[in-house]
Amino acid sequence: MDAETTAPTAELSIDGDRLWADLMELATIGAYDDEATGLRGVDRQSLTDADRAGRQLLISWMAELALEVTIDEMGSVFGRREGTDPGLAPVLIGSHIDTVATAGAFDGCLGVLGGLAVLRAFDAIGLRTRRPIVVAAWTEEEGVRFGTDMLGSAVAAGRLSLDHAYGLTDAEGRSLGDELARIGFKGERPVRLDPPHAYVECHIEQGPVLAQEDRPIGIVTGVQSISWQKVTLHGRAAHAGTTPTELRVDAGLAAAQIVVEARRMVDSGAYGRLRATVGRIETSPGLPSVVPDRAEITVDLRNPDDEDMARAEADLAAFIDTLPGTQPGLRIETARMARTKAVPFSEAVQDTLEAAAKERGHDSMRIMSGAGHDAQEIAAIAPAAMVFVRGQHQGISHNPREYSSPEDCRAGIEVLASAVRELSA
Ligand code: HGY
Ligand code: MN
Ligand code: MN
């Protein structure tokens, strides 16, 4: 290797002020006044006009760094910094900039904007790497608009098909394929990703563990299994006053019974560290004097153990099957939205991240991810791992109170930078 490609010993310094400014600027896109917290929240759901604006801002920052920008068929955005050996598989840094409806400024965005901060630091010391480095922003990581999370990275890694993704629709019946075209992000780049040399992602922990253990950095060992399903219950509209209880077919009641059963299963301890969330409950016609004739709920189950998860899914399905017997005439349909098994991350990449944390003087610990991430999809085709950043307020996330300090954000990206320098040398 010629002198230019050896990593100069010069300290890689992350411009934390610029990183913070970028995070705060991106957070203004899709900002809203959140009543529950009194804070400015962020609602930048995938392929909305707000998401288009966020993508355009990201691309302008990639252009500032003279990255070669490409958009794939799923609308995922890639910024490539060439290596001295362009034929080598790149090191891929990624995350997402789409958000849930009640987001803060950090979920996903830290990993994408942090990737740009890493390249800015490389430029600042004239570091040329043998391997190309690519920063990716994956489409629809949250899955909250089109019903499947980690969607862009799952199609890139081949777990889900492009046609399946294009056909997914939002609550108004708009398809993902049409929305990509509408916002001008139905790209030419073939969506199937050539396996990168390695994939690293920096993300906020979104939980309380690092704060409880007083560690700024987590080296992520893997992601727990995820199961999303939609349950639609059909009852019979009837007068709330005149209809005797025994003549009712109350879809709302049955929906509530599923919510209570899911929590009972968690509390029973019979399914390991199961977590269950019914995030959406909608009844119709939704009027005070009408027994609901229809209800729709979503059930999100999480479990670090695949067998416990499978048992929980089977037992909840068996419980749901008993409900029509309790209200003759009740009909129930279930539809799979998303399902991923627990994914272990590459030990080698974890070790590289841990060594990087040590090199930068940051205390770290190994931690499993409670949330799903794009890294779990790319792990199917390349060695992948993540670095977590401590969250304040017990690591709350998917809430405008989500907050990590500028120091901790910078620490996470310093770790990312040192690991990427190692992986791309
Ligand atoms: O659902 C998740 O865990 C992630 O926020 N997409
Ligand atoms: Mn995320
Ligand atoms: Mn999220």
Side-chain angles (χ1 to χ4, degrees), residues 284-299:
S284 77
L287 304 173
S289 62
V290 183
V291 175
D293 65 349
R294 189 177 188 280
E296 191 174 289
I297 65 173
T298 57
V299 182

Side-chain angles (χ1 to χ4, degrees), residues 23-32 40 42 44 57:
L23 283 164
M24 295 306 117
E25 182 173 351
L26 182 53
T28 63
I29 299 176
Y32 73 98
R40 290 288 278 166
V42 181
R44 197 172 55 243
L57 179 60

Side-chain angles (χ1 to χ4, degrees), residues 96 107 141-142 206 398:
H96 62 95
D107 179 353
E141 187 281 339
E142 294 292 2
Q206 302 180 289
H398 289 188

